[in-house]
């Protein structure tokens, strides 16, 4: 079967329609792939017809899968068992490097499923949960937790060469050895304990402290084919966990520390098992794309010291509101090349629903001056749109013409505690009706005659008084 093995730099067919999800798989060895019948048909069909995009160690040039045993038993705090299925749980961890997927960050996950293989046992794997702190796989050269020859890491690996350093039984970043070790590979002590899970990095692994998310319950189906050499011929099975919530969280920017599976007494296989027995993460997602550019930026209500900008909110890719705007101005033409040197406007509005009209008033301008304005939209990963159309506006001369005096102020109703007055609204510039309305009124009262000379001494009227 021909499968599409993708290089890390692949453009992942970015011509894909925003409405069509890209179907991918992450696994250690992409030369063999299997999707069991309990996996979603989207993934099974893509495997069957060879259209699935496979990201593995060889195509990406890096390790894309980490997996190991987790236990809260002090003798088996953290271990892994190479290509053989592990026989002691109760948890194992799988971490798939989603950063190798082009456009994954900021994308929309349509569905995601984890496929794992168990060799024998009579209790199903009960759930999968997201891991909330980081860990490393360590070496997988064989051996078991209680074997004195359990291989440790070559310490020269720190300076290059030798097996990669990994986790101790303790947890995240120590060197794997046959004995409990602290995370720095030293002997445990009260100030440097072997226990390194939990918020304080000083506890054994716990479900409440080190995992989160809504548990993804699994479904197991018998393989029905030739059993793995280490498996039971009558109980070997593939498990499926729908983990869309977890994978979407990683696309949204949450740290990807992988997933922990509660395996009961079913020995799940690690990625070194290879062939069809290795764990696989299937994902269908809409790749994150560049937000659309604003194309209808316009300036109106241009005055001597301010103006209004208006535009239609663009869409992000996948479709949805953008995350933020940058609006910049200059007294010379704005281009893509000089965008960063243009002045940035503060307190701009948040992006609206795509297609909605938006308005922003720019104040503090100088009279009789040409200004250029442009806008860019940004998505949640800070990917910027192309430059919008650039709009130019010239502010008017300073406003030296006062409104005409109100000549028909009249009291039309007198009450014990208030009066009602009427008047005709004047134009902004003298009697020119085209100059627009005035910006406000100041009404004052006094118990004596009011003139220009004593107007400021009269009492201002508060609205509603």
């Amino acid at each position: 079967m021909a499968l599409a093995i993708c290089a890390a730099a692949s453009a992942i067919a970015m011509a894909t329609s925003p409405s069509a999800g890209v179907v991918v798989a992450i696994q250690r060895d992409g030369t063999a792939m299997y999707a069991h019948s309990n996996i979603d048909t989207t993934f099974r069909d893509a495997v069957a017809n060879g259209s699935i995009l496979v990201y593995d160690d060889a195509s990406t040039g890096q390790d894309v899968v980490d997996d190991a045993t987790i236990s809260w038993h002090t003798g088996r705090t953290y271990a892994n068992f190479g290509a053989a299925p592990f026989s002691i749980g109760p948890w194992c961890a799988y971490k798939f490097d989603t950063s190798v997927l082009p456009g994954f960050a900021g994308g929309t996950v349509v569905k995601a499923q984890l496929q794992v293989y168990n060799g024998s046992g009579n209790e199903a794997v009960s759930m999968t949960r997201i891991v909330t702190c980081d860990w490393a796989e360590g070496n997988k050269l064989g051996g078991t937790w209680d074997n004195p020859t359990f291989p440790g890491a070559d310490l020269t690996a720190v300076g290059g060469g030798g097996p990669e350093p990994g986790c101790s039984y303790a947890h995240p970043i120590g060197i794997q050895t046959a004995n409990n070790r602290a995370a720095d590979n030293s002997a445990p002590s009260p100030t440097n304990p072997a226990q390194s899970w939990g918020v304080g990095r000083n506890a054994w692994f716990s479900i409440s402290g080190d995992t989160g998310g809504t548990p993804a319950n699994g479904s197991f189906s018998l393989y029905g084919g030739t059993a793995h050499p280490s498996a039971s011929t009558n109980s070997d099975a593939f498990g499926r966990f729908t983990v869309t919530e977890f994978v979407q969280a990683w696309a949204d920017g949450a740290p990807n520390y992988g997933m922990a599976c509660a395996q009961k007494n079913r020995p799940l296989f690690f990625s070194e098992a290879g062939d069809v027995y290795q764990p696989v993460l299937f994902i269908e997602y809409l790749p994150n794309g560049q937000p659309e550019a604003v194309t209808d930026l316009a300036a109106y209500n241009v005055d001597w010291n301010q103006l209004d900008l208006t535009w239609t909110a663009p869409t992000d890719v996948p479709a949805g509101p953008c995350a933020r705007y940058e609006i910049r101005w200059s007294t010379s033409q704005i281009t893509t090349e000089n965008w960063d040197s243009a002045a940035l406007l503060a307190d701009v509005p948040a992006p609206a629903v795509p297609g909605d009209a938006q308005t922003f008033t720019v104040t503090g301008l100088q009279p009789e001056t040409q200004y250029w304005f442009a806008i860019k939209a940004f998505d949640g990963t800070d990917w910027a749109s192309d430059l919008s159309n650039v709009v130019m506006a010239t502010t008017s001369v300073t406003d030296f013409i006062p409104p005409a005096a109100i000549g028909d102020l009249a009291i039309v109703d007198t009450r014990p505690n208030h009066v009602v007055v009427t008047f005709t609204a004047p134009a902004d510039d003298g009697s020119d009706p085209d100059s627009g309305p005035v910006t406000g009124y100041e009404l004052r009262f006094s118990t004596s005659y009011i003139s220009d000379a004593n107007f400021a001494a009269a009492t201002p009227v508060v609205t509603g008084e």
Side-chain angles (χ1 to χ4, degrees):
M1 180 185 304
L3 297 176
I5 309 297
C6 297
S10 169
I12 202 170
M14 292 306 288
T16 300
S17 165
S19 62
V22 176
V23 181
V24 303
I26 303 175
Q27 62 183 61
R28 186 179 293 270
D29 178 9
T31 60
M33 169 152 288
Y34 177 76
H36 191 68
S37 59
N38 63 0
I39 292 294
D40 187 271
T41 55
T42 297
F43 303 125
R44 285 193 285 114
D45 290 348
V47 171
N49 62 32
S51 63
I52 195 164
L53 304 176
V54 183
Y55 291 82
D56 65 355
D57 287 5
S59 64
T60 62
Q62 64 189 71
D63 292 336
V64 295
V65 181
D66 282 343
D67 38 26
T69 305
I70 299 176
S71 172
W72 48 75
H73 187 285
T74 57
R76 300 168 180 149
T77 311
Y78 197 102
N80 50 41
F81 297 89
F86 61 79
S87 58
I88 294 294
W91 290 82
C92 69
Y94 294 105
K95 181 164 57 175
F96 297 84
D97 188 356
T98 51
S99 70
V100 301
L101 303 178
F104 177 77
T108 298
V109 178
V110 179
K111 66 176 71 73
Q113 291 184 327
L114 169 66
Q115 177 177 277
V116 292
Y117 176 81
N118 80 281
S120 62
N122 57 15
E123 290 186 74
V125 175
S126 59
M127 71 177 71
T128 295
R129 294 178 67 102
I130 194 167
V131 179
T132 55
C133 55
D134 207 2
W135 54 279
E137 175 185 280
N139 299 309
K140 291 189 175 175
L141 304 179
T144 62
W145 74 275
D146 54 356
N147 186 337
T149 61
F150 189 80
D154 183 347
L155 296 181
T156 61
V158 176
E164 66 176 1
C167 58
S168 67
Y169 290 159
H171 163 55
I173 57 172
I175 305 302
Q176 182 174 306
T177 69
N179 300 308
N180 285 340
R181 305 290 283 176
D184 62 0
N185 197 37
S186 63
S189 70
T191 58
N192 191 24
Q195 307 96 303
S196 56
W197 289 87
V199 175
R201 299 294 187 173
N202 58 1
W204 301 118
F205 175 81
S206 72
I207 308 307
S208 60
D210 301 305
T211 67
T214 303
N217 293 319
S219 171
F220 271 76
S221 298
L222 293 181
Y223 182 18
T226 302
H228 186 278
S230 301
S232 167
T233 57
N234 61 5
S235 63
D236 60 304
F238 280 90
R240 177 209 69 212
F241 295 90
T242 298
V243 292
T244 307
E245 173 192 326
F246 304 163
V247 180
Q248 182 63 66
W250 301 333
D252 292 339
N256 178 0
Y257 299 143
M259 298 167 278
C261 295
Q263 50 81 226
K264 299 285 182 149
N265 71 347
R266 285 182 182 266
L268 301 183
F269 278 51
F270 289 138
S271 54
E272 285 80 5
D275 201 14
V276 301
Y277 311 107
Q278 60 186 311
V280 184
L281 180 61
F282 295 102
I283 305 173
E284 180 187 4
Y285 72 105
L286 305 176
N288 184 40
Q290 183 182 27
E292 292 184 356
V294 171
T295 59
D296 61 349
L297 182 65
Y300 71 106
N301 290 340
V302 182
D303 205 343
W304 66 276
N305 66 342
Q306 67 178 44
L307 56 78
D308 292 330
L309 296 175
T310 184
W311 67 93
T312 301
T315 185
D316 194 6
V317 177
C322 298
R324 66 181 182 90
Y325 292 126
E326 282 188 9
I327 304 177
R328 294 179 180 261
W329 66 271
S330 177
T331 54
S332 58
Q333 175 70 35
I334 296 176
T335 65
T336 300
E337 290 72 24
N338 66 16
W339 163 261
D340 289 336
S341 62
L344 186 65
L345 291 172
D347 301 321
V348 299
V353 175
D356 283 3
Q358 295 198 257
T359 302
F360 179 61
T361 300
V362 183
T363 60
L365 305 178
Q366 297 298 312
E368 299 182 85
T369 304
Q370 283 187 331
Y371 289 93
W372 280 261
F373 298 90
I375 185 172
K376 284 187 178 183
F378 291 76
D379 69 7
T381 66
D382 238 21
W383 191 349
S385 71
D386 289 336
L387 188 67
S388 70
N389 63 301
V390 180
V391 62
M392 189 275 288
T394 302
T395 52
S396 59
V397 298
T398 304
D399 189 357
F400 292 112
I401 304 174
I406 294 173
D408 60 352
L409 180 66
I411 298 174
V412 297
D413 191 8
T414 303
R415 298 297 176 91
N417 63 346
H418 72 272
V419 297
V420 178
V421 300
T422 62
F423 58 89
T424 301
D428 182 58
D429 296 339
S431 59
D432 180 8
D434 295 329
S435 63
V438 298
T439 58
Y441 298 104
E442 189 173 302
L443 183 64
R444 293 176 178 258
F445 69 92
S446 177
T447 56
S448 59
Y449 181 76
I450 298 176
S451 65
D452 285 338
N454 66 9
F455 181 79
T459 303
V461 172
V462 179
T463 303
E465 184 175 330

